[in-house]
Amino acid sequence: MSPRASREPPAENATVVTSQRVCAGRADDYQRWQHRMNEAAREFDGFEGVEVYPPVAGDENEWVAVFRFAGLDRLTAWLDSGRRRELLDEGQEFFEGTPTQEVLRGGAPAEQAPETVTAVISHEVKSGREEEFLSWQEKAFKAQAKSPGFMGSELFKPVEGVQDHWVAVFRYDSREHLDDWLASDVRQELLEEGRAYFASYDVRKVRSAFSGWFRFGDGKEDSAPPNWKQAMTVLLALYPTVAVLNLTEGHWLGELGVPAYIGLFIGNVLSVSALTWLLMPLVNKALAFWLVPGRATDYRVHLAGAAVVVLCYVLFLVIFGLATH
C-alpha cells in the first residue's frame, strides 16, 4: 500500500502498539501484570482483542502488546481510563524506562507465515515538512519493495489529540531479511535524506506466526498459540485439503488439458481459501482447549491435544492411502 493511499484509513478500526523493556529477571512478574492489563481492557466497550509478543533475538527484554478496538473513540477511552493509569503505575517497577505506544487508526491484522517479522517505526516529523516526509516515505517504500523477503507496508498518519507521530509498518518473511534491510546501504542513504524531514525515529520489531488463522473470535486470549501448535494445526487442515484437491480438481483439470502450472495455481487458491474461511475456524474451535493459551495450562492438556492431532494425522494417512489404491 502506498503511503498516500493510507493517509485516510478507515475509521472503524483502532490499534495501539505498546512496547516495554522489562527488567532482567522480572519477565514472570511482567507477564502476570500484563495479564491483569489485558483483563482490564476486555471490560471496555469496543474491545476486540489483544496479542502479547515476547522479545525477538537481539531485543531480549523488549515485550510488545497490541490492543485492538472497534473505533478510535473506544480505544482512547481505554487509553485515558483511570484503571489503565493505575495499572501502569503499578507496573513501573518491572520496566526499564517508560513504555512507549503508537496508535494506528485503520488497517487490519495481516496473515503471516511462521517466521514473519513486523517492524513498527514511529517518526517525529518536523513541523511544516509533512508533504516532503510523505514523498520521502513513498520513495523509501518503493526502494524497500525491491529488497528480499519484503511482504508489504502501511503508513499511518498522526491521530489528533492522541499522538503526533507518523507510523510506518512493514513486514518481512524472516528476521534475517528484515535486519538486512534495516542495515542496508540503501536504507542508510534514505535515512540521511529523511533527516531533513523528521527529527527522530524509533524502531520496534514484532514476531508473529499464522496470526490471521489463529485470531480467536471471542477476544479472550492473550496471544496466539505457540508456534509448534500452530504448525501442527495448520498441517492438520492443510494435508486433507491438498489431498482432496489432488484427487478431484487436479484430476479434472488434467483431463481437460490444463497446464500443470495453472492447475497448481488454481489448487493453491482453493486450498488457501478453504483454510482461511472454512477449515481453520472449525479446527480452532474443535481444538480450543489445546490452542488457547489461557486454557492449556496443564502439561496433560498439551499432551492430550498433541495426541489428538497425531491420531488425526494417522487417520488421514490411512484414508487417503486407501483412496489412492
Side-chain angles (χ1 to χ4, degrees):
M1 180 182 297
S2 72
R4 293 187 184 277
S6 26
R7 291 179 65 181
E8 293 295 338
E12 62 270 18
N13 300 319
T15 301
V16 60
V17 180
T18 63
S19 176
Q20 42 247 330
R21 186 169 294 277
V22 177
C23 298
R26 303 301 300 272
D28 289 342
D29 294 329
Y30 159 73
Q31 290 183 76
R32 285 190 287 270
W33 171 88
Q34 184 67 61
H35 179 74
R36 292 172 58 207
M37 179 70 81
N38 300 344
E39 290 299 314
R42 291 188 181 103
E43 298 175 1
F44 279 72
D45 185 38
F47 174 83
E48 291 192 333
V50 55
E51 303 137 40
V52 179
Y53 299 102
V56 297
D59 297 306
E60 284 74 12
N61 298 326
E62 189 163 12
W63 291 72
V64 175
V66 179
F67 292 85
R68 305 182 191 281
F69 280 77
L72 181 61
D73 55 342
R74 294 170 175 175
L75 174 60
T76 53
W78 154 245
L79 294 177
D80 296 338
S81 67
R83 177 56 178 156
R84 181 172 180 270
R85 285 195 294 269
E86 290 175 4
L87 287 167
L88 287 174
D89 290 340
E90 292 177 20
Q92 288 303 314
E93 63 178 294
F94 309 135
F95 305 143
E96 295 178 0
T98 303
T100 63
Q101 70 178 39
E102 304 297 341
V103 175
L104 313 179
R105 182 174 58 189
E111 293 178 6
Q112 302 179 24
E115 300 304 320
T116 298
V117 177
T118 301
V120 179
I121 303 185
S122 60
H123 303 81
E124 182 183 349
V125 178
K126 297 178 180 179
S127 179
R129 309 301 295 271
E130 290 82 5
E131 289 299 323
E132 293 166 294
F133 169 76
L134 278 172
S135 297
W136 171 84
Q137 186 66 79
E138 186 170 14
K139 177 181 178 181
F141 280 158
K142 288 180 178 178
Q144 187 179 24
K146 301 176 183 178
S147 61
F150 177 74
M151 298 180 67
S153 60
E154 288 184 272
L155 180 67
F156 297 85
K157 70 177 183 179
V159 181
E160 185 176 358
V162 180
Q163 71 167 26
D164 298 326
H165 293 165
W166 292 75
V167 181
V169 177
F170 49 81
R171 302 174 184 88
Y172 277 80
D173 62 2
S174 70
R175 175 63 186 270
E176 291 72 22
H177 281 147
L178 171 61
D179 287 342
D180 287 345
W181 163 252
L182 293 176
S184 68
D185 292 339
V186 172
R187 182 170 183 271
Q188 300 312 310
E189 292 175 3
L190 285 165
L191 287 176
E192 287 301 317
E193 178 183 341
R195 293 185 195 281
Y197 316 125
F198 55 83
S200 64
Y201 69 93
D202 182 47
V203 180
R204 286 183 296 282
K205 305 168 189 176
V206 181
R207 181 178 60 211
S208 179
F210 295 114
S211 62
W213 287 338
F214 290 91
R215 191 167 308 286
F216 294 90
D218 56 11
K220 296 181 179 179
E221 289 69 41
D222 291 349
S223 61
N227 283 0
W228 65 275
K229 289 187 180 182
Q230 297 186 30
M232 288 184 68
T233 308
V234 171
L235 178 60
L236 177 63
L238 180 63
Y239 172 68
T241 302
V242 174
V244 169
L245 288 174
N246 283 340
L247 292 173
T248 56
E249 171 262 350
H251 178 71
W252 297 333
L253 292 179
E255 289 187 341
L256 293 173
V258 176
Y261 67 93
I262 295 180
L264 180 61
F265 175 78
I266 295 174
N268 285 338
V269 171
L270 293 175
S271 62
V272 170
S273 299
L275 284 174
T276 301
W277 288 292
L278 176 62
L279 295 179
M280 287 308 300
L282 293 176
V283 172
N284 286 343
K285 184 176 181 179
L287 296 177
F289 76 95
W290 180 63
L291 289 171
V292 178
R295 301 182 193 177
T297 57
D298 188 281
Y299 76 93
R300 288 171 294 186
V301 176
H302 294 303
L303 291 176
V308 169
V309 174
V310 171
L311 286 175
C312 290
Y313 291 162
V314 174
L315 179 61
F316 285 140
L317 288 170
V318 172
I319 291 173
F320 290 112
L322 294 174
T324 54
H325 284 82

